[in-house]
Amino acid sequence: MSTGAGAGAPLPDVNRADCPSRGVLEHVTSRWGVLVLSALLHRSYRFSELRRHVGGVSEKMLAQTLQTLERDGFVHRAARPVIPPRVDYSLTPLGREVAEQVSGLARWVEGRLDDVLTARQAYDGARD
């Protein structure tokens, strides 16, 4: 596994406050990062389609999320020189790897939501 660090540099460790892996982890596990990556796992999207698919995301947040994921090498932005302009977003091979991971987490949350809500209810009831 390539880390991009020079010889003698410390190995990546997300528990270290100064480790750049923390920023990447934040990008892929943010609310919008997870939802965008999960959506793109299934197909490419135009910006407006993706915004409709990922309910509740503002145009500004979606643009920032896509730009961040593109910078990290997870998302490919393909601008087509047509009228009107068309821009498609898809996953890179690296993006597909991480999307499979966070999508699995999102599906797990969906599948176990009843258990979590039951636990919350029990916790809140014990505190009252």
Side-chain angles (χ1 to χ4, degrees):
M1 172 174 88
S2 174
T3 63
L11 292 174
D13 179 355
V14 295
N15 291 309
R16 257 191 19 248
D18 64 341
C19 184
S21 62
R22 273 200 182 181
V24 176
L25 184 64
E26 183 180 326
H27 299 161
V28 300
T29 61
S30 70
R31 173 186 359 179
W32 305 123
V34 169
L35 297 174
V36 166
L37 289 166
S38 294
L40 292 174
L41 185 58
H42 302 289
R43 70 180 185 90
S44 64
Y45 280 90
R46 291 193 329 261
F47 184 89
S48 57
E49 288 179 307
L50 189 56
R51 184 160 179 237
R52 282 191 299 275
H53 184 79
V54 178
V57 67
S58 69
E59 190 171 318
K60 179 182 177 184
M61 274 312 306
L62 181 57
Q64 286 177 351
T65 300
L66 286 166
Q67 185 175 36
T68 297
L69 294 173
E70 182 182 6
R71 182 173 184 251
D72 286 345
F74 302 132
V75 169
H76 174 71
R77 181 182 184 275
R80 293 181 175 40
V82 294
I83 308 255
R86 180 182 172 117
V87 178
D88 290 294
Y89 295 91
S90 61
L91 294 175
T92 65
L94 188 63
R96 180 160 294 284
E97 281 184 52
V98 75
E100 287 170 354
Q101 299 298 316
V102 297
S103 183
L105 176 61
R107 301 297 77 87
W108 182 89
V109 169
E110 289 172 338
R112 298 306 297 259
L113 183 59
D114 286 344
D115 296 324
V116 172
L117 296 177
T118 299
R120 283 183 184 176
Q121 205 169 24
Y123 179 89
D124 293 346
R127 293 183 58 92
D128 289 337

